[in-house]
């Protein structure tokens, strides 16, 4: 799987052509990249956040833990190389249905709170992503509450 993703991005220079259909690999990488970006916003992508991202990807996409770990590594590389997140956001917005986008927001909130606190930069990113992937503030707030409940935290 990871070889297919790497080849895909090497062939296209990191972004699909306008109007192109996104493969399942692209969808997985886009979701992983947004989760990694959320985890890195406080300049500390610690082992707890990495484990949370890996677990969420494995659950969401039915992957083995090692496969999800490799996807996290690749997403971290792509985020570090990228100057923008728009291509990842566009992939999610275009190919995830509304419920999947709300589910992704819940995953993002869970990653943002994985270390027990919400950094201002993380909150700002999640507010921006809410609008960019066409999820309402109310839906994002409900997703945040569900994520906090899963983590046993109070908001």
């Amino acid at each position: 799987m990871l070889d297919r993703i790497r080849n895909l991005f090497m062939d296209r220079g990191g972004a699909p052509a306008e109007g192109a259909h996104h493969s399942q690999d692209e969808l997985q990488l886009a979701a992983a990249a947004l989760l990694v970006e959320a985890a890195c916003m406080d300049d500390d992508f610690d082992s707890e956040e990495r484990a949370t991202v890996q677990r969420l990807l494995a659950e969401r996409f039915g992957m083995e833990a090692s496969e999800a770990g490799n996807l996290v590594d690749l997403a971290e590389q792509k985020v570090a190389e990228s100057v923008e997140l728009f291509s990842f956001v566009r992939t999610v917005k275009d190919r995830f249905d509304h419920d999947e986008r709300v589910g992704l927001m819940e995953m993002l909130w869970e990653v943002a709170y994985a270390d027990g606190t919400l950094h201002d930069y993380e909150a700002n990113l999640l507010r921006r992503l809410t609008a960019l992937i066409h999820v309402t503030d109310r839906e994002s707030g409900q997703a945040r509450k569900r994520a906090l409940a899963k983590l046993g935290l109070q908001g």
Side-chain angles (χ1 to χ4, degrees):
M1 176 198 74
L2 288 177
D3 289 335
R4 290 191 318 261
I5 294 173
R6 281 189 188 99
N7 291 337
L8 175 81
F9 279 91
M10 288 173 65
D11 292 343
R12 294 191 183 162
E18 191 67 34
H21 292 288
H22 303 285
S23 70
Q24 186 64 24
D25 292 341
E26 286 176 294
L27 294 174
Q28 292 171 355
L29 182 59
L34 294 177
L35 292 170
V36 166
E37 180 68 16
C40 292
M41 287 306 294
D42 61 0
D43 290 326
D44 185 24
F45 188 27
D46 64 26
S47 60
E48 194 167 339
E49 289 172 318
R50 179 177 292 279
T52 299
V53 171
Q54 185 175 329
R55 177 184 54 79
L56 290 169
L57 290 170
E59 289 172 1
R60 169 63 177 88
F61 296 114
M63 299 176 163
E64 297 294 324
S66 62
E67 193 175 18
N70 290 336
L71 181 57
V72 171
D73 292 341
L74 181 60
E76 188 175 14
Q77 175 188 340
K78 289 299 175 186
V79 166
E81 293 170 357
S82 179
V83 294
E84 52 82 27
L85 294 176
F86 183 73
S87 60
F88 301 123
V89 169
R90 185 180 61 220
T91 299
V92 167
K93 180 181 64 72
D94 291 348
R95 288 290 309 275
F96 280 39
D97 68 28
H98 186 75
D99 290 340
E100 290 172 324
R101 293 191 310 269
V102 172
L104 179 61
M105 284 307 304
E106 186 173 332
M107 293 167 66
L108 287 161
W109 283 113
E110 196 169 336
V111 168
Y113 279 107
D115 60 3
T117 60
L118 179 66
H119 190 279
D120 289 342
Y121 292 144
E122 292 168 331
N124 181 282
L125 175 68
L126 270 60
R127 276 193 305 275
R128 288 184 293 136
L129 288 175
T130 295
L132 290 171
I133 66 171
H134 298 219
V135 172
T136 67
D137 289 336
R138 180 183 179 128
E139 291 166 325
S140 178
Q142 291 167 339
R144 177 180 174 259
K145 288 179 183 177
R146 288 190 301 273
L148 287 169
K150 283 181 187 175
L151 296 169
L153 300 172
Q154 293 182 333

